[in-house]
Amino acid sequence: MWIADKWQDYELLDCGGGEKLERWGRQILVRPDPQAIWETPHKNPNWRRANARYLRSATGGGHWEKRNLPEQWSARYGELTFQIKPMNFKHTGLFPEQAVNWDFAMEKIRSAGRPIRVLNLFAYTGGATVACAAAGASVCHVDAAKGMVSWARENARASGLEEAPIRWIVDDCAKFVEREIRRGKTYDAIIMDPPSYGRGPSGEVWKLEDNLYEFVKLCAGVLSDKPLFVLINSYTTGLAPSVLGYLLSLLVGQKYGGRCEWDELGLPVTETGLWLPCGATGRWMSE
């Protein structure tokens, strides 16, 4: 398991009973987590003092029960700064476990010894975009949600990267990649975090298990002659990390050589000293 254990502004204090107790800077949140199926004695007093708790509804969705919580605040990870905003569907705009993937991408870009062009697909609020830009890459950030792209721009500004070479694209990711292939555009690295389920611009259904192979195959068509890395992240329950590695071996490794690795992502739990699993990542790299 790849553990995101370098945070100062985030801490997973405890988890259990289907919930996790988190510190985001000075703010304490309680949020649902389907992986935390064990029980916890709730010894940490912050379970009772939390600034906000997200409560699920029996009919779907849910709501925040807030005590004293700002609309937004910032959290730093090394040289990066992100805007945190609790949203309607339990999210905060940042997945802290992704820090291990940011570290991986930044190290690869900085050690490449050449200009690197990164394509970040399903790019959400731009954690990976900001990390890659901070490492010196030019980045194309693509997400279908205009609000998420605006939020990613905020994160770039907060990190002092408003003048960095980032293209901000609001578009369906598959349609954008198809157009880039027709234009002859190429990228040295691709990062993607596709959803488990969704609908395309014309109402077509996206289901990760059914569509991921063809999507990765499509994306391989925009890789440069000397690609640096390809990273796939998934939060789809039941999809093993090795599946992501197998896809990359077939669709990238067989053509470019290099090597693949894969694992779960995890966050250290302060109360127990254990690790909470938080999705899966597969990585192909040239060396």
Side-chain angles (χ1 to χ4, degrees):
M1 184 180 283
W2 292 323
I3 308 296
D5 57 2
K6 297 179 182 177
W7 280 96
Q8 299 295 320
D9 278 2
Y10 175 84
E11 183 180 5
L12 180 51
L13 299 167
D14 193 13
C15 56
E19 293 183 311
K20 54 188 174 186
L21 176 68
E22 306 169 292
R23 177 182 62 80
W24 294 81
R26 296 180 179 178
Q27 309 303 320
I28 305 297
L29 304 181
V30 177
R31 295 192 294 156
D33 195 293
Q35 299 282 6
I37 62 173
W38 48 86
E39 290 301 322
T40 178
H42 293 88
K43 292 180 180 178
N44 191 312
N46 285 303
W47 281 108
R48 298 179 294 279
R49 300 173 186 166
N51 298 91
R53 179 188 297 265
Y54 187 87
L55 299 174
R56 286 198 181 280
S57 168
T59 57
H63 69 279
W64 286 98
E65 189 177 76
K66 300 179 182 180
R67 288 184 178 177
N68 181 23
L69 189 73
E71 288 297 312
Q72 70 177 71
W73 65 96
S74 62
R76 290 186 57 82
Y77 181 77
E79 65 199 90
L80 313 177
T81 301
F82 302 102
Q83 299 301 310
I84 308 302
K85 308 175 193 178
M87 297 188 290
N88 291 338
F89 186 65
K90 83 174 183 176
H91 295 309
T92 61
L94 196 67
F95 291 86
E97 64 274 7
Q98 288 298 325
V100 292
N101 284 331
W102 306 336
D103 289 342
F104 163 82
M106 294 174 81
E107 190 278 327
K108 288 294 179 185
I109 290 164
R110 283 174 169 155
S111 63
R114 58 188 172 98
I116 297 297
R117 302 181 303 278
V118 177
L119 177 61
N120 188 13
L121 300 168
F122 309 98
Y124 194 52
T125 60
T129 294
V130 171
C132 291
S138 58
V139 186
C140 183
H141 173 111
V142 187
D143 196 281
K146 185 177 181 180
M148 294 300 104
V149 176
S150 297
W151 194 338
R153 282 179 175 267
E154 288 182 44
N155 286 332
R157 284 194 296 271
S159 296
L161 296 166
E162 60 266 45
E163 300 300 323
I166 304 172
R167 292 173 63 200
W168 303 103
I169 306 294
V170 179
D171 203 351
D172 174 80
C173 289
K175 301 293 185 187
F176 177 79
V177 171
E178 288 169 354
R179 286 200 303 275
E180 292 291 85
I181 291 172
R182 290 197 296 269
R183 295 165 179 154
K185 297 287 184 68
T186 61
Y187 297 87
D188 305 300
I190 300 175
I191 298 170
M192 65 178 77
D193 193 349
S196 299
Y197 181 87
R199 290 191 177 274
S202 302
E204 60 270 29
V205 174
W206 163 278
K207 190 175 180 183
L208 190 80
E209 300 94 322
D210 297 336
N211 299 105
L212 185 59
Y213 176 83
E214 290 299 328
F215 183 75
V216 177
K217 185 178 180 180
L218 173 69
C219 291
V222 292
L223 285 171
S224 66
D225 293 335
K226 294 176 62 180
L228 186 64
F229 68 85
V230 180
L231 187 154
I232 308 173
N233 190 75
S234 172
Y235 289 101
T236 300
T237 304
L239 191 71
S242 55
V243 172
L244 304 178
Y246 200 85
L247 286 179
L248 290 169
S249 296
L250 287 173
L251 297 172
V252 183
Q254 286 189 5
K255 179 177 180 181
Y256 294 101
R259 63 185 178 92
C260 294
E261 60 183 18
W262 54 86
D263 212 332
E264 291 181 293
L265 303 185
L267 289 167
V269 185
T270 302
E271 188 73 23
T272 62
L274 300 176
W275 305 277
L276 178 69
C278 305
T281 291
R283 302 167 179 166
W284 171 87
M285 62 210 81
S286 58
E287 56 186 30

